[in-house]
Amino acid sequence: MIRTRFAPSPTGYLHIGGARTALYCWAFAKKQGGTFVLRVEDTDRERSTDASVQAILDGMQWLGLDYEGPYFQMQRLDRYRAVADELLRSGHAYPCYATKEELDAMREGQRARNEKPRYDGRWRPDHVQRSGLAPPMGAQPVIRFRNPDAGEVTWSDLIKGPITIANSELDDLVIMRADGIPTYNFGVVVDDIDMEMTHVIRGDDHVNNTPRQINIYHALGKSLPLFGHVPMILGQDGERLSKRHGAQGVMEYFDEGFLPEALVNYLARLGWSHGDNEKFSTDKLIEWFDFKHVSRSPARFDPDKLRWLNQQYIKEADNKRLAKLAQPFLERDGCATGQGAPLASVVALLKERVSTIEELADAAVYFYRELEPSAELKQQHYTADIKPALEDLQSRLARIEWIRAKINEAVKGVVAEHKLKMPKLAMPLRVMVTGEAQTPSIDATLELIGREQVLARMAKQLQAFPA
Ligand code: GLU
């Protein structure tokens, strides 16, 4: 039975790198009919926050990544303690009383001698026996793992291929702090064992931790899961993705009006491929996903491509759903969407032209309130020669049945009567009624804005025409 997990530390928002890792683990578990687990690694008491836990849960829910859990490491302290005791008893771990000052001095000395900074093993039991070092009175020790001195650690990484690290490169890491809280490398192993993980997939910033973790599995006599390390995400400039490349928190994409299926599609494709497919459903992702096609090199985040995908998904999305998503944006913008044109109809008219829900809402504003045209637009389109035709149209619009076909007929009638070209009339009309020079077809636009509003706006704007 396949079991994968996502194990974020709640020290910030759920960023897109984490979301992508979660997505790969989720898709793989789904594909294999397995289980995907969410485990919150909240042992960093200073940096973990409830808001961040919430942001993670919100992000997972929004992206549709369902999971077993969430489990919280802080609720499992007894278990880590018990496993640490087991390691103490079997001689794979020992208490270490070195103070912070001592450790700093140790590292400084190593640096001065051009050695790699590492714990020198001074509280290893064999060393203590020889040196007669005695635990200081009343001091609370940390617990260190007794890393093997010789040999090497090897695993076949699902993404990076075979990796080997010599044990001589590793020192005795702290597994339990003096306050009884496990360190990352220990908590993660205990949990991955207890939660029966078959695949441990994570960012490749953890590659260096994996050999340490493997040694702990061996000490506990447990078999290893498979490991896979996903390369990181870079910005367009090749730098590590950061704030200045745009939004990083998953829920910021919600705030900006992205659809979750677009972000899922984008993140899936960012660092994984299936032939030439750029746009695919989540079902297809599940059907196709494998680790073989996860790229070994870092991916570059391309905001334009994400917008393009979002645009494709908006075009296909149900109008009622889009209306519901656009409504809060419009309300923030002072539009009472309960009155006037049904928002779903407005959305249907506009959705081909936008790439985010925010843009959709922006484009919908003039259906709900008057927008004053810019001075440039007025200057360009409000000319004395066209005024009589607009007045004619005004009176025709007052009489007709208010449906798109009749509005179209009225506009065409005026164009013919006054011997105009269509844009000559349609452009000022657009600007007068919507405040903008670009709108969907004018008859459909007027129909939705409603007769009363159209006539009122025309009357007001006609006063701004030169005599
Ligand atoms: N809490 C770790 C992180 O957020 C988890 C790494 C792992 O998946 O093992 O980076």
Side-chain angles (χ1 to χ4, degrees):
M1 204 47 177
I2 298 297
R3 287 175 64 85
T4 63
R5 87 298 193 279
F6 176 50
S9 304
T11 54
Y13 38 56
L14 172 58
H15 58 84
I16 54 167
R20 184 187 60 163
T21 305
L23 178 62
Y24 290 177
C25 293
W26 176 87
F28 181 70
K30 290 268 159 189
K31 178 186 174 134
Q32 305 289 331
T35 304
F36 169 69
V37 169
L38 176 63
R39 182 173 71 229
V40 179
E41 302 204 325
D42 53 355
T43 53
D44 184 339
R45 297 319 292 152
E46 259 160 44
R47 291 174 59 227
S48 297
T49 65
D50 290 343
S52 171
V53 171
Q54 197 53 52
I56 291 165
L57 300 180
D58 289 348
M60 300 291 283
Q61 191 186 19
W62 183 57
L63 294 177
L65 307 182
D66 55 333
Y67 47 79
E68 177 187 300
Y71 300 105
F72 292 87
Q73 289 194 318
M74 285 307 285
Q75 293 172 7
R76 292 176 41 78
L77 295 184
D78 290 350
R79 179 66 189 142
Y80 308 125
R81 182 76 238 177
V83 179
D85 286 344
E86 187 185 327
L87 288 172
L88 285 168
R89 280 196 302 274
S90 64
H92 287 103
Y94 59 91
C96 166
Y97 294 88
T99 62
K100 187 180 171 305
E101 291 70 30
E102 238 179 289
L103 293 170
D104 287 346
M106 183 193 306
R107 280 192 207 101
E108 214 138 292
Q110 285 160 340
R111 252 181 240 123
R113 294 190 298 276
N114 258 332
E115 296 165 14
K116 199 172 148 188
R118 55 187 291 142
Y119 177 70
D120 63 4
R122 62 182 62 180
W123 284 95
R124 282 182 175 182
D126 48 340
H127 190 269
V128 170
Q129 221 166 32
R130 279 200 306 275
S131 66
L133 206 61
M137 285 282 281
Q140 266 300 331
V142 301
I143 297 175
R144 284 188 188 268
F145 178 69
R146 173 68 168 87
N147 200 76
D149 299 314
E152 48 196 26
V153 184
T154 295
W155 79 96
S156 179
D157 196 275
L158 288 168
I159 295 158
K160 294 184 180 285
I163 298 181
T164 298
I165 306 283
N167 271 318
S168 57
E169 293 288 311
L170 308 173
D171 61 0
D172 293 353
L173 73 148
V174 175
I175 56 172
M176 290 291 271
R177 301 189 181 93
D179 60 7
I181 294 181
T183 57
Y184 158 69
N185 275 309
F186 185 53
V188 79
V189 171
V190 174
D191 286 350
D192 286 340
I193 292 171
D194 286 359
M195 297 175 191
E196 300 179 322
M197 289 305 141
T198 56
H199 294 69
V200 168
I201 310 302
R202 56 188 164 211
D204 69 358
D205 47 333
H206 286 291
V207 165
N208 292 335
N209 288 320
T210 302
R212 297 174 177 281
Q213 294 176 16
I214 289 176
N215 281 332
I216 300 177
Y217 278 88
H218 290 330
L220 290 168
K222 298 294 179 187
S223 54
L224 298 178
L226 293 168
F227 292 97
H229 292 88
V230 187
M232 59 180 163
I233 302 176
L234 305 177
Q236 287 283 285
D237 52 4
E239 300 282 313
R240 210 193 158 110
L241 200 64
S242 72
K243 200 76 213 162
R244 88 199 135 79
H245 295 106
Q248 287 180 280
V250 162
M251 293 314 281
E252 285 177 65
Y253 287 95
F254 168 76
D255 294 340
E256 289 179 16
F258 285 82
L259 296 179
E261 62 267 39
L263 190 57
V264 163
N265 186 158
Y266 180 74
L267 290 178
R269 181 64 190 81
L270 183 66
W272 171 82
S273 59
H274 184 268
D276 294 335
N277 292 285
E278 293 295 342
K279 180 167 176 286
F280 43 83
S281 67
T282 305
D283 284 347
K284 280 289 171 219
L285 167 66
I286 293 169
E287 188 185 321
W288 294 337
F289 188 79
D290 60 0
F291 290 112
K292 255 209 326 273
H293 291 90
V294 173
S295 168
R296 287 180 177 207
S297 45
R300 284 192 192 219
F301 191 76
D302 179 353
D304 292 337
K305 191 168 162 194
L306 172 57
R307 289 178 73 82
W308 174 80
L309 266 177
N310 204 45
Q311 183 175 29
Q312 308 309 309
Y313 283 101
I314 286 178
K315 277 188 202 165
E316 287 169 13
D318 174 66
N319 294 329
K320 283 212 186 77
R321 176 184 172 210
L322 293 174
K324 219 165 148 183
L325 292 169
Q327 192 171 348
F329 288 96
L330 278 154
E331 270 158 20
R332 232 172 291 157
D333 216 343
C335 295
T337 50
Q339 293 152 29
L343 188 49
S345 310
V346 171
V347 158
L349 203 57
L350 296 170
K351 68 177 180 180
E352 299 277 333
R353 320 161 67 89
V354 298
S355 42
T356 66
I357 302 292
E358 191 170 26
E359 283 178 19
L360 181 62
D362 283 349
V365 167
Y366 58 72
F367 288 90
Y368 299 97
R369 66 179 171 81
E370 206 177 308
L371 286 182
E372 187 59 22
S374 68
E376 290 81 10
L377 281 180
K378 287 192 205 173
Q379 162 93 19
Q380 194 182 345
H381 298 289
Y382 290 9
T383 53
D385 60 328
I386 196 68
K387 199 173 174 193
L390 286 163
E391 280 162 348
D392 185 3
L393 180 65
Q394 202 183 10
S395 64
R396 290 188 198 213
L397 290 179
R399 290 193 306 267
I400 58 167
E401 186 192 348
W402 197 258
I403 55 167
R404 185 174 176 174
K406 299 285 178 197
I407 297 169
N408 186 275
E409 225 174 84
V411 172
K412 284 200 173 128
V414 171
V415 165
E417 174 95 25
H418 295 258
K419 300 194 169 43
L420 300 167
K421 290 220 160 64
M422 185 53 123
K424 186 77 179 124
L425 182 74
M427 285 312 295
L429 178 59
R430 267 201 175 92
V431 172
M432 291 163 80
V433 177
T434 70
E436 288 176 13
Q438 262 146 26
T439 70
S441 78
I442 190 69
D443 49 359
T445 305
L446 296 193
E447 181 190 33
L448 278 175
I449 292 175
R451 185 193 329 252
E452 203 183 314
Q453 270 297 313
V454 167
L455 292 178
R457 293 180 193 178
M458 284 183 81
K460 180 174 166 199
Q461 292 298 322
L462 274 168
Q463 293 171 16
F465 274 63

